[in-house]
Amino acid sequence: MEKEQKGATAEKIDRFEAKRDALMAMGGEKLVQKQHDSGKLTARERLDVLFDKGTFQEVQLFVEHRSTLFGLGEKKIPADGVITGFGQVNGRTVFAAAQDFTSAGGSLGEMHARKIWKVMDMALAARKPFVAINDSGGARIQEGVPSLEGYGGIFYRNTLGSGYIPQITAIMGPTAGGAVYSPALTDWIFMVKKSSSMYITGPDVIKAVIGEEVSQEDLGGAVAHASKSGVCHFATEGDADCLAKIRTLLSFLPDSCQSPAPIASSTDSADRECPELDTIVPDKANRAYDMKQVIRSVADGGEIFEPHELWARNMLVAFIRIMGRTVGVIANNPRFNAGALDVQASDKASRFIRFCDAFNIPLLTFSDVPGYMPGTHQEWSGIISHGAKLLHAYSEATVPKITVVTRKAYGGAYIAMCSKQLGADYVMAWPTAEIAVMGAEGACNIVYRREISEAADPAARRAELVASYEEQFNNPYFASSMGIIEEVIRPRDTRRRVCTLLDALRDKAEARPAKKHNNIPL
Ligand code: HXC
């Protein structure tokens, strides 16, 4: 009797293992090989690389679709085309869903979506980051509207999680039509060069409707979205590179808006001088320099992690660590378009500022801005409302805000780059700073137009007036005499000051009027 029972139990366990092993094989050897041949890892391999070795725990492996339409009744789709679960990344819990292209093209049907909802709900309840790995033909065509409902439920949860838990999407295959909107609702989009794409309408539809010819890669590949549209924050070199970079990003971020960001061990000194900064600003005001070098000098170990490296390059945003703590840096980069503000730069900085503020990451701003980019293209692209986003984002941010003016801080653009009146806690200027309504030449041409034209020697008179304007405004002393900036510092002291200030401001608390939410000019 006892022997018989043991046998039945063992059989049950064998059955369980056989069932599980079949599902672990995903779409089968041939399709796994096809996936590898196209340069992609499978969903399971991707999760193995993303998570610390052996820590991934799968959720709802046995879920099956229940559609009977268009031949689906007889069709088995292992794990319904998506692997969901959680594990450890750098020793911290993260939830994830990875679409399995070898199982019905990773297409999203009702149950596939429910599996994703489940881990998103767990991530929200547990207050931990969520990573989505997309590799899918989109809505499962045979299932019809339940697939669309599936996407709707994901969008809703993405929105619930916005500003609450960090959400990251890795695009590692096709993502077409409305399927692009979950990624767009998350905080960060990674793409893999050559093997991933995102678009609302593909090359064939574009050709049929408007006659334009474009390849898939040019239309919606990683480089296109990283450099032209700004939809992609990180264009990566392959699956392994993409997943490694996601791990790096997660190392900067807190679990949720209710947890502090992790503190890395730092061997860099809070008292380190940066002598190279004393000579970085060129003697000639219209000469460029690379603001990225300034950020590197100030950061712990010279390390920066930069989203949107190829897009709106006149504005730099980056995560760095100062004494092991995460800091969000926003900076004009005079190397590109003189660091002027435009539509894209405003959007790039605003979204970054709002992310950092939502997750309690202090903001460090470096300002060298000659103004807004002029022209009909900018005006008709809505620089007025896009520029206003930057004012709004800085003003609503309540995290510690420190600003360093390295050179130009002109006009409205000066105000926009985290000036005192937008709530900066501490504004510092280098001796090379020029805080003014505009550059001296432009100012004198307007204010003294008649006087210059009527002078016996107009060129000499203009030079005189320009020199006097420069003496008055093109330095940090007029602003500092009025308390508009707190301190003029030697550039080499920048890191020391930033370290002390972040330490002093760590427990900053700022009350705001109670309301439902702001209405940022979108
Ligand atoms: C059901 C799908 C599918 C889909 C792919 N498959 N996409 N099954 N619904 N949407 C299946 C294929 O039938 C095939 O099954 C397997 O996945 C692999 O697909 P292939 O075509 O063989 O692969 P490949 O040649 O690499 O081409 C990949 C592809 C292509 C470019 C993604 O499959 C494709 O164009 N799929 C349809 C894309 C699409 O139009 N989706 C709907 C988008 S609209 P078998 O059984 O043969 O192996 C949308 C709306 C979302 O998603 C709205 C949200 C609000």
Side-chain angles (χ1 to χ4, degrees):
M1 179 73 180
E2 198 179 281
K3 209 172 174 190
E4 249 175 46
Q5 255 186 2
K6 235 177 165 182
T9 304
E11 250 174 45
K12 283 179 184 171
I13 291 186
D14 285 351
R15 181 168 175 239
F16 154 72
E17 283 183 345
K19 230 170 139 50
R20 187 197 54 193
D21 292 350
L23 293 170
M24 296 307 268
M26 299 175 285
E29 247 172 63
K30 240 170 86 185
L31 290 174
V32 166
Q33 189 57 48
K34 193 175 166 202
Q35 179 86 349
H36 287 160
D37 290 346
S38 60
K40 301 194 291 184
L41 297 174
T42 64
R44 288 190 189 285
E45 289 164 343
R46 285 167 176 166
L47 291 168
D48 279 347
V49 178
L50 175 65
F51 287 103
D52 299 347
K53 208 171 166 38
T55 63
F56 180 68
Q57 187 170 323
E58 192 159 342
V59 173
Q60 295 187 336
L61 169 67
F62 291 123
V63 163
E64 293 179 10
H65 72 80
R66 51 184 175 179
S67 180
T68 52
L69 302 170
F70 295 100
L72 272 192
E74 295 79 51
K75 193 173 165 78
K76 288 274 177 218
I77 303 176
D80 210 37
V82 63
I83 319 297
T84 53
F86 59 94
Q88 304 284 303
V89 174
N90 308 311
R92 296 160 59 213
T93 299
V94 171
F95 289 79
Q99 290 177 316
D100 169 14
F101 196 79
T102 71
S103 301
S107 56
L108 184 144
E110 178 204 9
M111 300 310 285
H112 176 126
R114 283 182 184 276
K115 285 182 71 174
I116 299 176
W117 296 356
K118 170 65 189 171
V119 277
M120 291 182 81
D121 289 342
M122 285 179 80
L124 284 164
R127 292 173 294 159
K128 302 288 184 213
F130 175 69
V131 177
I133 298 179
N134 285 27
D135 189 358
S136 162
R140 191 171 296 150
I141 295 163
Q142 301 93 320
E143 287 199 30
V145 78
S147 307
L148 304 183
E149 286 275 291
Y151 280 109
I154 295 171
F155 301 161
Y156 183 73
R157 285 166 177 80
N158 285 138
T159 307
L160 291 185
S162 176
Y164 188 61
I165 52 170
Q167 298 182 82
I168 296 170
T169 308
I171 309 288
M172 304 184 91
T175 305
V180 298
Y181 283 117
S182 170
L185 286 165
T186 61
D187 300 303
W188 305 103
I189 296 182
F190 290 72
M191 291 184 76
V192 179
K193 289 179 191 169
K194 299 199 177 82
S195 61
S196 71
S197 59
M198 289 178 86
Y199 39 73
I200 294 283
T201 51
D204 294 345
V205 176
I206 292 179
K207 188 165 181 212
V209 177
I210 59 169
E212 196 180 323
E213 283 196 43
V214 63
S215 72
Q216 178 158 302
E217 186 68 10
D218 285 351
L219 173 68
V223 172
H225 282 309
S227 60
K228 291 187 197 318
S229 71
V231 164
C232 166
H233 299 90
F234 300 92
T236 62
E237 300 299 333
D239 281 16
D241 181 44
C242 177
L243 297 161
K245 288 205 165 84
I246 292 175
R247 288 175 60 88
T248 305
L249 175 60
L250 285 165
S251 76
F252 282 94
L253 308 183
D255 290 346
S256 78
C257 67
Q258 293 167 349
S259 317
I263 304 171
S265 60
S266 165
T267 50
D268 208 342
S269 161
D271 207 32
R272 173 167 62 79
E273 288 196 344
C274 311
E276 64 280 7
L277 295 184
D278 280 351
T279 51
I280 199 161
V281 173
D283 287 339
K284 285 208 161 115
N286 55 2
R287 277 271 169 82
Y289 60 97
D290 191 357
M291 190 65 96
K292 214 181 282 192
Q293 285 177 17
V294 176
I295 302 170
R296 281 214 176 91
S297 289
V298 171
D300 283 2
E303 277 176 35
I304 77 173
F305 190 68
E306 188 188 351
H308 273 154
E309 200 177 347
L310 303 175
W311 185 64
R313 302 178 83 180
N314 39 335
M315 180 70 83
L316 267 162
V317 299
F319 290 111
I320 61 167
R321 292 192 178 91
I322 294 285
M323 297 316 292
R325 291 173 192 271
T326 306
V327 173
V329 179
I330 303 97
N332 312 111
N333 194 354
R335 258 192 78 193
F336 300 95
N337 291 338
L341 289 183
D342 58 12
V343 166
Q344 294 185 341
S346 303
D347 283 5
K348 173 173 169 176
S350 306
R351 185 141 171 89
F352 184 74
I353 292 162
R354 298 192 92 219
F355 176 84
C356 290
D357 186 51
F359 291 100
N360 303 305
I361 296 170
L363 298 172
L364 172 60
T365 301
F366 290 97
S367 170
D368 185 348
V369 62
Y372 289 90
M373 187 67 78
T376 50
H377 175 67
Q378 284 297 312
E379 293 296 343
W380 296 342
S381 302
I383 183 64
I384 294 173
S385 29
H386 290 271
K389 287 186 207 176
L390 188 55
L391 300 170
H392 192 117
Y394 268 130
S395 300
E396 79 175 342
T398 55
V399 289
K401 295 186 281 193
I402 298 168
T403 303
V404 182
V405 181
T406 60
R407 190 169 60 175
K408 293 169 195 164
Y410 291 166
Y414 146 67
I415 293 294
M417 290 304 294
C418 204
S419 61
K420 193 171 194 72
Q421 287 310 318
L422 298 193
D425 296 290
Y426 204 88
V427 183
M428 295 176 278
W430 289 359
T432 43
E434 302 171 10
I435 303 171
V437 173
M438 56 169 62
E441 291 273 351
C444 291
N445 285 343
I446 296 168
V447 177
Y448 300 116
R449 188 186 339 211
R450 185 174 303 157
E451 190 176 331
I452 290 169
S453 68
E454 288 173 359
D457 182 346
R461 185 62 188 138
R462 176 189 283 113
E464 234 173 66
L465 290 165
V466 165
S468 109
Y469 188 92
E470 277 174 353
E471 174 63 22
Q472 179 65 32
F473 290 127
N474 285 18
N475 58 60
Y477 304 110
F478 183 64
S480 58
S481 74
M482 302 182 70
I484 291 169
I485 58 175
E486 271 63 51
E487 215 189 337
V488 182
I489 60 165
R490 277 196 324 182
R492 65 168 60 215
D493 289 331
T494 307
R495 174 175 159 89
R496 293 164 141 187
R497 280 291 187 286
V498 167
C499 287
T500 325
L501 284 161
L502 285 172
D503 198 42
L505 292 166
R506 186 167 309 142
D507 296 328
K508 177 186 173 187
E510 205 176 292
R512 294 291 171 100
K515 60 177 120 168
K516 195 167 174 204
H517 59 70
N518 281 6
N519 184 17
I520 190 165
L522 293 172

